[in-house]
Amino acid sequence: QGVPKPFTEVIKANIGDAHAMGQKPITFLRQVTALCLCPELLTQPSIPEDAKDRARRLLAACGGQSAGSYSASPGIELVRRDVARFLQRRDGVPAEPQDIFLATGASDAIVSILKLLVSGEGPSRTGVLVPVPQYPLYSAALAELSAVQLDYYLDEERCWALDLAELRRALAEGRRHCCPRVLCIINPGNPTGQVQSRQCIEDVIKFAFEEKLFLMADEVYQDNIYAEGLAFHSFKKVLFEMGPPYSEEVELASFHSVSKGFMGECGFRSGFVEVVNMDPEVQQELTKLVSVRLCPPVPGQILLDAVVDPPQPGDPSYELFM
């Protein structure tokens, strides 16, 4: 309307959509995906052999050797094995393909886990502790599932640090009117950008253990660590390094995605959840739950495989990939 403003431009910071903001796609990821979607490209001499080998391997794992077929509901078995190997390299802790569920982005996996955990009526209704500020997926999903959202506030004065006393306050308050069962952690933070220290993660795990809370660790920004002296520690790695009783009893679901970091492939809608220490009968129910939506998009699963198993030194694509 021509009203003067004290600024000259607007920076859109509402969602982490890297490619929409001009980030360029990674050649290897797109080549593998393109080869699987259009196998006649396998004859093209311009495409490196390692990308072709990867595409052949993935197509062989698809029904009818086609990316147009359904996969198993938790995802292509081959891709789940590659994700398990990726997690093992990252954490130095064993990972099992049967504990990994591929999904339509991390968002879909988060909603599936929340569906699994929400139950009860009135005072027995599931309460879920979520950080504030938070990624609005949580408040929206909890409203949709009629769960009880229990806010805990991050400390802005300390770079949005997580404060244990604040967690205890939110839990005690929640117990007055619902049954808190779940603690959601976003690390690195979204939208706050903080990176949790190892000590903080240990404290949170001890808190979850003492209060019998299911831990949900949203770790989709793990490739976006820029500040000097900071490092990403996965909840699973810290949990296992703490040893028993924590490593044997704390129930954890951790999430990752191809939408963020150097990949930025939001539109492919691909991610996964790994569950740790989940009761086998409950895990069977999770398998049933994800089977309702048949399977995650197969092109997204293919791209995820290229992300978790990138070109290695000596491969034709390695130099360009790096």
Side-chain angles (χ1 to χ4, degrees), residues 97-113:
Q98 66 265 24
D99 295 334
I100 291 155
F101 295 78
L102 309 188
T104 310
S107 307
D108 174 52
I110 288 165
V111 171
S112 292
I113 297 293

Side-chain angles (χ1 to χ4, degrees), residues 62-206:
C62 293
Q65 302 208 344
S66 170
S69 59
Y70 290 126
S71 75
S73 295
I76 297 167
E77 178 64 26
L78 175 77
V79 180
R80 293 165 82 201
R81 286 205 303 270
D82 287 345
V83 170
R85 277 203 295 274
F86 159 79
L87 292 171
Q88 212 156 312
R89 282 196 309 275
R90 186 193 70 181
D91 297 334
V93 174
E96 300 298 334
Q98 66 265 24
D99 295 334
I100 291 155
F101 295 78
L102 309 188
T104 310
S107 307
D108 174 52
I110 288 165
V111 171
S112 292
I113 297 293
L114 286 171
K115 277 183 183 172
L116 188 74
L117 297 170
V118 171
S119 67
E121 291 300 327
S124 70
R125 193 68 178 152
T126 295
V128 180
L129 290 145
V130 294
V132 176
Q134 51 105 6
Y135 181 51
L137 160 71
Y138 292 92
S139 46
L142 294 173
E144 188 186 352
L145 296 167
S146 303
V148 184
Q149 180 178 327
L150 305 172
D151 295 337
Y152 65 89
Y153 292 86
L154 302 173
D155 186 349
E156 185 175 4
E157 299 305 311
R158 293 194 299 126
C159 293
W160 302 104
L162 188 154
D163 180 53
L164 224 57
E166 170 61 12
L167 267 186
R168 288 201 177 92
R169 179 207 63 77
L171 182 67
E173 211 169 282
R175 282 191 171 140
R176 291 192 199 127
H177 58 93
C178 69
C179 181
R181 292 190 176 97
V182 190
L183 169 56
C184 291
I185 305 285
I186 307 176
N187 178 53
N190 178 15
T192 45
Q194 86 285 11
V195 181
Q196 275 183 307
S197 69
R198 196 203 152 82
Q199 185 56 54
C200 179
I201 293 172
E202 279 194 24
D203 292 343
V204 169
I205 288 170
K206 286 175 184 169

